[in-house]
Amino acid sequence: MSEELAGRIIGLRREDGQLCERRAALSPGDVGSWLPNRTYAIFSHTHKSQKENMPSLREALAKHIRLVDYELIRENNARTITPFGQWAGIVGCIQGLHVLGLRLLSLGFTSPFVNIPPAQCNRSYEEATSHIKSILSKISSFKKLCKSFGPFVIGITGKGTSSLGAQKFFRDINVPQISPDDIDSCSFDKIYVVVLNKSNTISHRNPGVMYDQDEFISHPERYKSIFVSKYGSKLSMLVNCIYWEPGRPRLIENSDLPQIIDSQKLLVVSDVSCDINGSIECVSKGMTMLFPWCLYDTSGHCIENPIGKEKALAITVIENLPSLFARDASIEFSSKLMRYIDHLAKSDHSTDIEDTNWSSALLDAVICNKGNLCSLYKNINV
């Protein structure tokens, strides 16, 4: 799906051919064109109180729209049924490797990475993995490159669907996964991937106190990020897939940038999470397929012309990553969503949400109804 089509609203039709008062789309599109007293199913990106998306939620509340968020449809309290997180992780890896090649080239180094095209230039995931696997098998023949930048260790953060997608991608191209403890023993002419969990990147502010997940969730202010001090000079590329919300420690703060950039080791961050000023604080905007990356200097400022700047960190942030593998992602998504289409098409927005015959998986994905936030999302700061 192209960027132009990504926000287009699709009407559902009944068997008699009449247009239903329900809408199914991927992104909010032009919220000003939303019709009142309707049911909309989209990826709203509002349940974490994302500031940049609050206007669309306010529009839904004002127009008494029943807003269903695909991302929140979970069966048996498991992960979301929508596979776009997985595809975001996969595409984020490919985009990151592509940018790594461009960044090395701008520093005067040829590499196999420069032969990796952007994700949208591949006809399928299978074609992409086959091509990239062949390219990266030649890494050891680039002696000067390996001596200057090896070993090439790619870090993946997070444990959600995006992270699992990123891990799957590297398995499919035969990149060996190592434990965080083995980074220092890597061969300089090889590529590795390492998965970093919160226990690896977060530390209690009170020395000697171990990381505790329950305490971290209830009191995130008691913790701090140790990612840069432990791994900032050991990774070549970071695929960031962590779940972040305000109040939690950031993985990379702006104050960390001088240390990262001076080390000249971590060259690229592919920020799959795409939280503006979030876990990667300097990320100030999303990017596009045409201009998928930029450089950030030691002050956290984005450099519009990324060519030739030595002291900087390359970051790629594209909001609609799965659309770069539109066919693969759409086939998988539609197959899982199909079981809910009948309920959405017959949605009566005038009734209380509790009075529908929807499954709990679909009910829990309704953010607002009849001008009010639903009980699970009362904490959203609209």
Side-chain angles (χ1 to χ4, degrees):
M1 180 179 294
S2 68
E3 288 186 276
E4 291 75 16
L5 293 177
R8 187 167 294 177
I9 294 176
I10 303 165
L12 302 176
R13 290 189 179 273
R14 298 194 299 258
E15 290 182 3
D16 61 5
Q18 296 298 311
L19 187 64
C20 297
E21 295 182 341
R22 296 93 184 133
R23 301 292 185 269
L26 290 186
S27 61
D30 178 13
V31 297
S33 66
W34 283 5
L35 301 175
N37 302 313
R38 303 294 197 275
T39 296
Y40 281 79
I42 60 172
F43 284 99
S44 72
H45 302 295
T46 59
H47 69 282
K48 293 190 291 181
S49 298
Q50 294 97 315
K51 183 172 61 176
E52 64 276 12
N53 296 321
M54 287 303 101
S56 62
L57 182 54
R58 287 194 288 270
E59 188 81 1
L61 289 166
K63 292 183 175 180
H64 285 221
I65 286 170
R66 176 176 290 175
L67 186 62
V68 181
D69 194 317
Y70 294 132
E71 187 179 1
L72 303 175
I73 302 176
R74 304 173 188 274
E75 295 177 342
N76 301 320
N77 295 319
R79 299 185 189 278
T80 175
I81 67 157
T82 58
F84 288 134
Q86 172 182 292
W87 285 103
I90 289 171
V91 177
C93 292
I94 297 174
Q95 295 300 98
L97 292 173
H98 168 68
V99 171
L100 180 59
L102 296 178
R103 181 60 180 142
L104 287 168
L105 191 63
S106 73
L107 295 174
F109 288 85
T110 185
S111 72
F113 303 108
V114 80
N115 295 312
I116 297 176
Q120 68 269 23
C121 293
N122 298 279
R123 287 177 294 184
S124 67
Y125 177 65
E126 183 179 0
E127 177 185 271
T129 52
S130 176
H131 181 56
I132 295 172
K133 187 189 306 181
S134 174
I135 289 173
L136 297 188
S137 66
K138 301 176 176 65
I139 186 71
S140 60
S141 64
F142 290 78
K143 302 298 184 185
K144 180 182 177 182
L145 175 74
C146 293
K147 184 176 180 180
S148 299
F149 294 99
F152 292 91
V153 181
I154 299 165
I156 301 173
T157 55
K159 61 178 183 179
T161 54
S162 296
S163 177
L164 293 175
Q167 294 172 49
K168 168 182 166 53
F169 168 75
F170 284 109
R171 283 196 305 270
D172 290 345
I173 62 170
N174 294 340
V175 172
Q177 181 175 325
I178 59 173
S179 75
D181 296 332
D182 293 333
I183 292 179
D184 292 331
S185 59
C186 291
S187 174
F188 78 98
D189 61 349
K190 291 189 177 356
I191 304 171
Y192 304 89
V193 65
V194 60
V195 178
L196 303 172
N197 297 314
K198 287 193 183 75
S199 58
N200 303 120
T201 61
I202 299 294
S203 175
H204 204 286
R205 293 185 180 275
N206 187 357
V209 178
M210 299 294 290
Y211 171 82
D212 180 83
Q213 176 72 2
D214 292 335
E215 183 187 34
F216 176 78
I217 293 173
S218 58
H219 294 285
E221 73 281 358
R222 297 177 183 175
Y223 289 83
K224 63 180 180 178
S225 172
I226 54 174
F227 168 78
V228 174
S229 61
K230 288 185 69 175
Y231 304 106
S233 61
K234 296 181 179 181
L235 302 181
S236 303
M237 184 177 105
L238 171 67
V239 182
N240 180 43
C241 304
I242 67 171
Y243 173 86
W244 184 86
E245 57 186 42
R248 293 189 174 188
R250 290 182 166 92
L251 195 69
I252 299 177
E253 297 184 346
N254 286 346
S255 58
D256 295 319
L257 292 176
Q259 181 179 343
I260 292 174
I261 293 170
D262 288 343
S263 74
Q264 287 284 282
K265 178 62 177 175
L266 181 57
L267 299 177
V268 174
V269 173
S270 180
D271 190 15
V272 176
S273 296
C274 198
D275 290 317
I276 304 304
N277 301 128
S279 56
I280 311 295
E281 185 178 14
C282 67
V283 171
S284 56
K285 62 180 181 179
M287 300 163 198
T288 67
M289 286 185 271
L290 293 178
F291 303 100
W293 67 294
C294 70
L295 296 179
Y296 285 84
D297 62 21
T298 54
S299 300
H301 297 132
C302 180
I303 304 167
E304 295 297 336
N305 181 7
I307 303 300
K309 179 74 174 180
E310 292 188 5
K311 292 285 188 177
L313 175 65
I315 300 183
T316 175
V317 188
I318 301 178
E319 293 179 320
N320 57 336
L321 282 171
S323 69
L324 305 192
F325 267 137
R327 183 176 183 275
D328 301 75
S330 296
I331 289 173
E332 187 173 356
F333 176 51
S334 60
S335 67
K336 294 184 177 181
L337 185 64
M338 189 59 66
R339 73 196 73 169
Y340 299 103
I341 289 296
D342 187 58
H343 288 297
L344 291 172
K346 295 177 181 178
S347 174
D348 181 359
H349 59 271
S350 66
T351 63
D352 291 333
I353 193 66
E354 295 81 6
D355 295 335
T356 68
N357 62 346
W358 290 5
S359 67
S360 60
L362 196 55
L363 285 174
D364 290 348
V366 181
I367 290 182
C368 63
N369 187 59
K370 297 173 68 174
N372 297 299
L373 292 172
C374 293
S375 58
L376 289 177
Y377 307 105
K378 291 289 188 183
N379 62 336
I380 294 178
N381 185 15
V382 181

